[in-house]
């Protein structure tokens, strides 16, 4: 067993550069939902085609995130992050330069590849650039990339789309990705501990992966991430539809209210990173978060309650649930037995999150379609929260055993 190479101090500019890459890929993901009505109109896309465009990134990560993570130690996290950002940037230029269904779906496939690579490999760069004392908080900070970037895309869309159209949005996304790649490249000397071949355990790619995946706790954490993703996805779907179909809100108001709800996840991520830094057991953090999200879902799904209270409950669910990805992602530095295993674990966690979305989508659609009420999605979210509570209790017991405590 080889411990990861440790930086004597934290290089925050290097951490910030990785965060910039995360925000760039999140904005790249978030550009499609906000532009989908315009895309359908201008490119004459059917609902099925639009669905493929929207879900391509999730589907690809669901299939290959863990396998991708296995290669982080072999290829080097820096190469993978830079390559992923450049691939995303290039792919973002394809669709506006050659408008049409096939160029669009092909570019989304490439963007999905780049997104998956950057999301899986970036935590290794954060780990390499931080001291042991700051590492857990820094990984909690990294976990904010998706809600922060997606909410930025939503909040900016009412102003940008009328001025730039969807093609301008794609060009701006490409520029942001290239700037992020330049920022990461400029800090490359601080990522030396994540270089390929450092601290190799001599067991080869598959042996390294088996060593990481043989532990039961990472699987529980990945599934916990998945049931939270299922709840969060239900919330993201519920709010715009409720606001537009049942309250007659305009597109701008819907984007702002939904974006603010997503943004509430960011302080939750930061709180989760800080609590992990204080060495609060992950099982307790997951348990508290799942209880809060389940209770909040009950409030925002109750149609008899006033709208402001229901919206506040949705914001609270986003905030409380933000603790979960922070607690899960930061665990890789504790559970990895070599630097090469960090990527494998991060890939597993990402695949768990995508599983929650892939499974949650048809479940929520089926339940809502059968009842005709979006509030009936509570059956899915409540079940997911209950499963998350059980997983949190099991994770807490495993943590206690690992630390030498009975039970």
């Amino acid at each position: 067993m080889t411990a990861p190479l440790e930086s004597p101090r934290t290089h925050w500019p290097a951490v910030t550069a990785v965060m910039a890459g995360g925000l760039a890929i999140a904005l790249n993901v978030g550009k499609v939902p906000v532009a989908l009505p315009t895309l359908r109109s201008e490119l004459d896309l059917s609902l099925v085609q639009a669905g493929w465009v929207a879900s391509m990134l999730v589907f690809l990560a669901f299939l290959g995130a863990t396998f991708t993570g296995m290669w982080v130690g072999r290829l080097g996290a820096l190469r993978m992050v830079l390559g992923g950002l450049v691939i995303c940037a290039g792919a973002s230029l394809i669709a506006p330069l050659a408008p049409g269904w096939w160029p669009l779906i092909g570019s989304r496939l490439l963007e999905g590849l780049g997104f998956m690579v950057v999301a899986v490999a970036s935590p290794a760069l954060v780990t390499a650039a931080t001291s042991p004392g700051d590492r857990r908080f820094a990984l909690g900070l990294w976990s904010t990339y998706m809600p922060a970037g997606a909410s930025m895309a939503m909040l900016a869309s009412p102003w940008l789309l009328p001025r730039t159209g969807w093609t301008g949005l794609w060009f701006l996304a490409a520029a942001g990705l290239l700037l992020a790649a330049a920022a990461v490249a400029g800090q490359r000397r601080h990522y030396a501990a994540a270089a390929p071949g450092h601290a190799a355990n001599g067991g080869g790619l598959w042996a390294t992966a088996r060593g990481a995946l043989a532990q039961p706790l990472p699987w529980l954490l990945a599934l916990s991430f998945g049931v939270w993703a299922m709840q969060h996805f239900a919330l993201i779907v519920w709010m715009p539809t409720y606001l537009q179909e049942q309250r007659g809100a305009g597109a701008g108001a819907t984007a702002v209210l939904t974006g603010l709800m997503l943004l509430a996840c960011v302080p939750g991520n930061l709180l989760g990173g800080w609590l992990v830094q204080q060495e609060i057991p992950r099982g307790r953090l997951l348990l508290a978060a799942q209880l809060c999200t389940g209770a909040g879902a009950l409030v925002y799904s109750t149609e008899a309650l006033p709208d402001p209270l229901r919206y506040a409950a949705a914001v609270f669910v986003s905030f409380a649930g933000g603790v979960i990805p922070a607690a899960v992602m930061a665990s890789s530095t504790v559970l990895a037995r070599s630097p090469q295993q960090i990527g494998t674990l991060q890939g597993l966690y990402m695949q768990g999150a995508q599983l929650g979305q892939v499974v949650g989508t048809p479940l929520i659609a089926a339940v809502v379609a059968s009842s005709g009420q979006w509030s009936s999605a509570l059956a899915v979210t409540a079940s997911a929260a209950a499963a998350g509570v059980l997983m949190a209790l099991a994770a807490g017991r495993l943590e206690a055993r690992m630390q030498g405590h009975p039970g």
Side-chain angles (χ1 to χ4, degrees):
M1 184 183 305
T2 308
L5 295 180
E6 295 186 346
S7 175
R9 65 183 181 88
T10 299
H11 302 282
W12 288 111
V15 175
T16 302
V18 181
M19 279 298 306
L23 289 174
I25 60 168
L27 283 165
N28 205 48
V29 172
K31 73 187 181 187
V32 164
V34 299
L36 207 52
T38 305
L39 282 169
R40 287 195 63 205
S41 174
E42 292 191 14
L43 301 182
D44 195 25
L45 303 182
S46 68
L47 280 173
V48 173
Q49 289 175 321
W52 275 108
V53 172
S55 63
M56 183 61 70
L57 273 76
V58 172
F59 189 70
L60 193 63
F62 165 65
L63 291 177
T66 303
F67 179 77
T68 302
M70 291 165 54
W71 286 92
V72 173
R74 178 66 61 88
L75 299 179
L78 180 60
R79 290 177 185 170
M80 292 184 71
V81 169
L82 291 176
L85 289 170
V86 172
I87 288 172
C88 279
S92 191
L93 296 174
I94 292 175
L97 293 177
W101 157 246
W102 287 112
L104 180 61
I105 198 66
S107 69
R108 288 303 279 174
L109 181 64
L110 287 174
E111 286 175 353
L113 174 63
F115 163 72
M116 177 175 61
V117 168
V118 174
V120 169
S122 290
L125 297 186
V126 173
T127 301
T130 51
S131 66
D134 292 328
R135 191 163 293 149
R136 295 178 184 179
F137 177 76
L139 286 169
L141 182 65
W142 160 252
S143 70
T144 68
Y145 80 94
M146 183 54 74
S151 61
M152 287 168 62
M154 281 195 172
L155 292 171
S157 64
W159 184 85
L160 280 176
L161 278 175
R163 292 166 172 80
T164 68
W166 73 269
T167 55
L169 198 59
W170 261 240
F171 286 131
L172 286 172
L177 288 159
L178 292 174
L179 288 173
V184 172
Q187 297 291 326
R188 62 189 313 126
R189 67 187 183 281
H190 299 304
Y191 308 129
H198 261 299
N201 61 8
L205 180 69
W206 295 103
T208 299
R210 283 196 301 270
L213 300 177
Q215 306 172 81
L217 184 54
W219 291 93
L220 271 175
L221 295 176
L223 290 173
S224 296
F225 203 171
V227 295
W228 156 239
M230 188 181 297
Q231 296 172 73
H232 205 215
F233 178 78
L235 182 59
I236 294 169
V237 170
W238 170 83
M239 181 168 290
T241 304
Y242 177 81
L243 290 172
Q244 291 185 331
E245 294 185 1
Q246 299 187 29
R247 289 297 181 266
T254 298
V256 169
L257 289 172
T258 306
L260 290 175
M261 179 274 295
L262 278 172
L263 195 61
C265 192
V266 174
N269 295 146
L270 296 175
L271 175 63
W274 181 79
L275 291 172
V276 169
Q277 188 83 355
Q278 307 309 306
E279 299 187 350
I280 306 296
R282 282 179 182 78
R284 293 182 189 175
L285 294 179
L286 297 177
L287 177 61
Q290 296 285 6
L291 289 171
C292 287
T293 57
L298 178 62
V299 175
Y300 76 68
S301 298
T302 303
E303 296 182 0
L305 295 174
D307 286 347
L309 178 60
R310 298 176 70 189
Y311 179 75
V315 172
F316 172 73
V317 167
S318 182
F319 168 76
V323 171
I324 295 172
V328 171
M329 290 184 180
S331 70
S332 61
T333 60
V334 177
L335 298 175
R337 297 166 179 172
S338 72
Q340 289 72 29
Q341 291 185 353
I342 292 176
T344 300
L345 293 176
Q346 291 293 335
L348 176 66
Y349 299 154
M350 184 180 184
Q351 200 150 0
Q354 307 314 314
L355 173 65
Q357 293 189 48
V358 169
V359 173
T361 303
L363 280 177
I364 294 167
V367 169
V368 172
S370 65
S371 68
Q373 298 291 330
W374 278 97
S375 58
S376 62
L378 178 64
V380 177
T381 58
S383 299
V389 166
L390 295 177
M391 292 173 191
L393 292 171
R397 287 195 293 270
L398 282 174
E399 278 187 301
R401 290 175 189 169
M402 288 173 60
Q403 295 170 0
H405 301 300

